[in-house]
Amino acid sequence: MSSRRPDALAQVSDFDIRLLRIFRSVVECGGFSAAETVLGIGRSAISQQMSDLEQRLGLRLCQRGRAGFSLTEEGREVYQSSLQLLGALESFRTEVNGLHQHLRGELTIGLTDNLVTLPHMRITHALAQLKERGPDVRIHIRMIPPSEVEQGVLDGRLHVGVVPQATALSGLEYQPLYSERSQLYCAVGHPLFYVDDRQLEDQRLNEQDAIAPTFRLPAEIQAHYQALNCTASASDREGMAFLILTGRYIGYLPDHYASFWVQQGRLRALKATTRFYDLSLASVTRKGRRPHLVLESFLESLEATR
């Protein structure tokens, strides 16, 4: 029965690469004995691993014995090919490490409106760090209602969003960022604008035309709106501000957002010690998302600024 030559390598495994590295060192050192110090293993172990490589390749790579070490013709060709392969692996490693140092790509963020006026707002700082780390990163910000932010993250149109934290939607991950306080406001021209809080009864307050948001809120915050006479609605805080500034409605606004008009004397908070709520805002990403180095870098920066 004739002997059968081993099949050519179907694929190069980690084991093969390790053997090829040893083979390269042996060739460059000029033999097994000289390679012992470089490789940190004994001559017998080197000999065994060279035998393993020859068996894997089905080729005789070198002559060893009293006449000394020398490469066969096949050994010289395998050595040249191994240099190309190991060089390509090193280039790949260098390029991947470079991606970590020099980010490239895009980041699309969906934000609830009017977060930029938060004194402790961390998104700006995280974006600055991302741009410093990856000057070529392209950032796209979408200012849209919270429900659209969550849907955009779910369907992949957005990489990440920031929304008021309510009941978690299946398929999304939420990471708390910060809290903002909202107070009940009215504007110049409203009948309650000049009424002292001490004379302002809750019943009279609850009878005023008010604005309700259409985006999701926790149940304990929804109770604040249920106590009011909500005859109008808005999909975002800017829409609520528009209606409040007409002087015909009362409504809740984040204090950091309303402060501009308060300082101008155009808005005032009604019963500020009792009519307020604190709302948590969270970053939202899709569960099971594919690896995205730019996104992960942004999330790391966001976490680091806490």
Side-chain angles (χ1 to χ4, degrees):
M1 183 175 179
S2 61
S3 62
R4 182 175 179 273
R5 179 188 172 109
D7 292 335
L9 286 177
Q11 62 182 8
V12 179
S13 66
D14 291 341
F15 179 65
D16 296 321
I17 291 172
R18 183 168 66 84
L19 294 179
L20 287 170
R21 291 187 191 279
I22 293 173
F23 175 56
R24 180 183 64 181
S25 294
V26 169
V27 173
E28 292 174 351
C29 290
F32 293 2
S33 297
E36 286 182 288
T37 302
V38 172
L39 295 173
I41 56 178
R43 181 174 177 176
S44 61
I46 295 174
S47 178
Q48 179 60 53
Q49 301 207 51
M50 285 299 91
S51 296
D52 291 341
L53 179 60
E54 288 177 330
Q55 185 175 358
R56 288 282 292 161
L57 297 177
L59 297 169
R60 182 74 171 175
L61 300 179
C62 58
Q63 303 291 342
R64 52 264 205 193
R66 293 182 180 180
F69 174 85
S70 63
L71 288 175
T72 64
E73 184 63 31
E74 291 85 358
R76 281 190 287 271
E77 292 188 19
V78 169
Y79 173 66
Q80 292 300 324
S81 296
S82 68
L83 291 181
Q84 295 178 25
L85 172 62
L86 297 175
L89 288 173
E90 180 61 24
S91 296
F92 174 77
R93 183 187 65 82
T94 300
E95 289 179 9
V96 170
N97 288 341
L99 289 176
H100 286 273
Q101 297 172 3
H102 305 289
L103 297 174
R104 299 178 182 86
E106 297 186 350
L107 182 68
T108 304
I109 308 172
L111 297 179
T112 301
D113 64 318
N114 308 125
L115 293 181
V116 73
T117 52
L118 265 171
H120 53 289
M121 201 268 295
R122 293 155 43 199
I123 300 171
T124 299
H125 304 301
L127 288 174
Q129 291 179 11
L130 177 65
K131 192 63 177 174
E132 181 179 357
R133 183 177 174 187
D136 296 329
V137 170
R138 296 183 296 279
I139 299 171
H140 309 286
I141 292 181
R142 305 284 184 263
M143 302 302 299
I144 49 181
S147 60
E148 294 183 28
V149 172
E150 291 174 308
Q151 186 57 48
V153 173
L154 274 173
D155 62 28
R157 288 180 291 115
L158 301 173
H159 294 118
V160 61
V162 177
V163 295
Q165 191 164 11
T167 305
L169 295 182
S170 176
L172 295 178
E173 294 179 342
Y174 297 81
Q175 182 63 43
L177 292 177
Y178 38 65
S179 178
E180 65 177 10
R181 173 159 293 190
S182 289
Q183 294 180 308
L184 186 61
Y185 291 94
C186 71
V188 170
H190 193 278
L192 301 184
F193 190 80
Y194 294 107
V195 178
D196 189 283
D197 279 349
R198 290 171 294 184
Q199 278 75 52
L200 187 54
E201 298 178 356
D202 283 338
Q203 182 175 351
R204 184 180 180 189
L205 193 60
N206 295 342
E207 290 173 350
Q208 306 300 312
D209 286 327
I211 310 154
T214 58
F215 50 85
R216 297 187 314 119
L217 290 169
E220 63 272 16
I221 291 178
Q222 291 177 5
H224 288 269
Y225 291 95
Q226 292 167 355
L228 299 175
N229 178 34
C230 293
T231 59
S233 66
S235 64
D236 50 48
R237 281 93 68 88
E238 186 171 0
M240 299 177 76
F242 267 115
L243 290 173
I244 294 170
L245 288 166
T246 65
R248 298 295 181 267
Y249 296 90
I250 63 174
Y252 285 96
L253 291 175
D255 54 7
H256 63 87
Y257 178 48
S259 64
F260 172 76
W261 294 293
V262 172
Q263 292 171 13
Q264 288 187 332
R266 297 180 60 191
L267 287 183
R268 64 158 289 201
L270 299 168
K271 306 195 75 168
T273 58
T274 58
R275 292 297 182 113
F276 69 87
Y277 62 78
D278 294 319
L279 176 64
S280 295
L281 291 111
S283 64
V284 55
T285 53
R286 186 172 56 182
K287 290 181 179 178
R289 61 186 182 274
R290 299 174 67 179
H292 188 288
L293 192 56
V294 174
L295 172 59
E296 302 310 323
S297 180
F298 172 72
L299 294 176
E300 288 174 8
S301 297
L302 204 57
E303 178 66 21
T305 58
R306 295 186 69 173

